[in-house]
Amino acid sequence: SPANPAGKDHTVRIAIGEFAHETNTFCPGVTALEQFQRRHWATGDEIFEQHRGVRDPLGGMIAAAEADGITVVPIFATSTEPSATIAQSAYDAIRDNLLTGIAAAGDLDALVLSLHAAGVTEGSDDLEGTLLSEVRAAVGPDLPIVVTLDLHGHTTRAMVDNANVLLYCHEYPHVDGYDRGLEGMRSAAAIARGDSRPVTH
């Protein structure tokens, strides 16, 4: 963390995860947990199996870590197609999977998450801000948190207050998700080593 940099000789240990959903609140009904489970649901090493060599944000994170000698701790990843407001029970279950995985990961130097920034649940119009607030409460104030995000997203005060770096895609179609994953992993490692002290505004 910035208060206790990992140092040049320390192998940086960074956890990765994903909770991505582009919510359309005009759609009737809710997006249930089963919709996430059917489309993309990966725990631990399944993230390596499904994303290594893939040009998406998680693939970029893995590639940067493997190229730079960073130890990756895969936590949990899920996403589904754009759809209705997320059922609160689905949000709670996904959040709990992330938080449980982070707690079980042991000592970490940073956390990199792939989110969306247009997520809405039955309990919050700001999924990402709510989630990052809960993650920050769980990991404490010093662990660097870096987030990759979709181009079609909203930046909220809760997101800014609870993440060290927010990285949105630049391109539409989103051909640069992989690049944001690379950037996210390298940004997190730089903060962990004390080489970078970003200010979010």
Side-chain angles (χ1 to χ4, degrees), residues 21-25 27-31 35 81-87 120:
H21 186 253
E22 184 173 18
T23 304
N24 182 347
T25 58
C27 289
V30 295
T31 298
Q35 289 170 254
E81 296 87 352
S83 51
T85 298
I86 299 169
V120 177

Side-chain angles (χ1 to χ4, degrees), residues 2-159:
N4 183 25
K8 304 297 184 188
D9 298 326
H10 172 77
T11 300
V12 176
R13 195 166 183 270
I14 298 178
I16 63 172
E18 180 180 63
F19 181 3
H21 186 253
E22 184 173 18
T23 304
N24 182 347
T25 58
F26 292 103
C27 289
V30 295
T31 298
L33 184 65
E34 291 74 22
Q35 289 170 254
F36 287 93
Q37 292 171 327
R38 280 198 302 269
R39 185 177 187 273
H40 175 226
W41 189 271
T43 301
D45 287 345
E46 292 174 343
I47 295 172
F48 289 141
E49 295 164 9
Q50 295 180 22
H51 293 276
R52 182 180 278 120
V54 177
R55 295 193 64 82
D56 64 7
L58 289 169
M61 294 173 202
I62 294 165
E66 293 180 342
D68 297 353
I70 299 165
T71 299
V72 179
V73 184
I75 300 295
F76 172 73
T78 191
S79 63
T80 194
E81 296 87 352
S83 51
T85 298
I86 299 169
Q88 190 62 38
S89 57
Y91 171 83
D92 292 343
I94 293 167
R95 176 209 56 213
D96 289 351
N97 271 318
L98 275 170
L99 293 179
T100 299
I102 292 166
D107 291 335
L108 295 170
D109 295 304
L111 173 65
V112 185
L113 295 174
S114 171
L115 305 179
H116 190 285
V120 177
T121 73
E122 289 181 302
S124 173
D125 288 341
D126 180 14
L127 181 159
E128 291 77 13
T130 299
L131 179 67
L132 288 169
S133 299
E134 293 179 296
V135 170
R136 178 57 75 195
V139 303
D142 296 328
L143 188 77
I145 299 175
V146 175
V147 184
T148 66
L149 297 157
D150 190 282
L151 177 67
H152 300 104
H154 314 283
T155 304
T156 66
R157 172 54 56 185
M159 291 166 62

